[in-house]
Amino acid sequence: MKRKLIIFLSVGFIIFMAALCIYYLVKGDSSRWQVALGGIFAGALPLLLLRLKNNPFNIPIIVSYFIFLFCSLFLGSIKSFYLHLNWWDSTLHFFKGIFIGCIGISLYKRWIPENVRNDVSHWILFLFVLSLSVLASVIWEIYEFVGDLTIAHTMQRGGNKDTMYDLIFGLVGGLIVALYALVRKHKV
């Protein structure tokens, strides 16, 4: 079931982004066709999970990844939600913090054998989930900075203020999941 879902969502998203890429390339809209081209590669990434013997990510995480891609690439960049809705960027960074925190919990379950988890401190799990979420936010902001220097010049429209809000919202999203993991460690 999980394998078929990954194939279905990846192929569907790749076709959608490829059509947009061709449409905007023909139209001469360099900014949008480049976003769509990036969407093709981002949509193909989950196909790498098919090579894993035991995929650590559950169906809600896989579906959330594609929802995030659709909201950030298509709605945010191509349909200009980032420009017209001030709250859109912060909301996606908050969601990304939660999403990466959930990935942290999945990786914890994958990497720490079940018979050893009782000996792992609640705080280690908390720090791992929070750190992974914050790291993802920092890497994303570096990506935006480098993108503005080299290609788009539109990713950090608010400059330092935008970066700080993005980092704060990513931190808060990750903090929520880390606190959940701290309190519910034995259920995680």
Side-chain angles (χ1 to χ4, degrees), residues 59-123:
I59 290 174
I61 287 179
I62 294 164
V63 171
S64 295
Y65 175 76
F66 285 100
I67 290 171
F68 179 75
L69 288 183
F70 181 79
C71 289
S72 64
L73 297 175
F74 179 68
L75 295 177
S77 295
I78 293 174
K79 288 298 184 183
S80 302
F81 278 31
Y82 288 129
L83 294 175
H84 303 298
L85 302 171
N86 293 334
W87 53 268
W88 191 257
D89 187 41
S90 298
T91 302
L92 286 181
H93 280 279
F94 177 73
F95 175 79
K96 180 183 52 65
I98 292 172
F99 175 70
I100 298 297
C102 291
I103 286 177
I105 290 172
S106 293
L107 293 175
Y108 167 79
K109 289 163 110 176
R110 166 79 181 216
W111 291 337
I112 307 298
E114 197 169 340
N115 60 336
V116 177
R117 288 184 202 154
N118 287 334
D119 297 331
V120 176
S121 167
H122 290 68
W123 292 104

Side-chain angles (χ1 to χ4, degrees), residues 13-14 16-18 20-21 30-46 65-66 69 72-74 77-78 140 143 151:
F13 196 80
I14 290 167
F16 176 63
M17 284 291 147
L20 287 173
C21 185
S30 64
S31 174
R32 288 188 170 101
W33 77 257
Q34 290 173 355
V35 170
L37 181 63
I40 293 169
F41 291 110
L45 278 177
Y65 175 76
F66 285 100
L69 288 183
S72 64
L73 297 175
F74 179 68
S77 295
I78 293 174
W140 186 260
Y143 161 75
I151 299 169

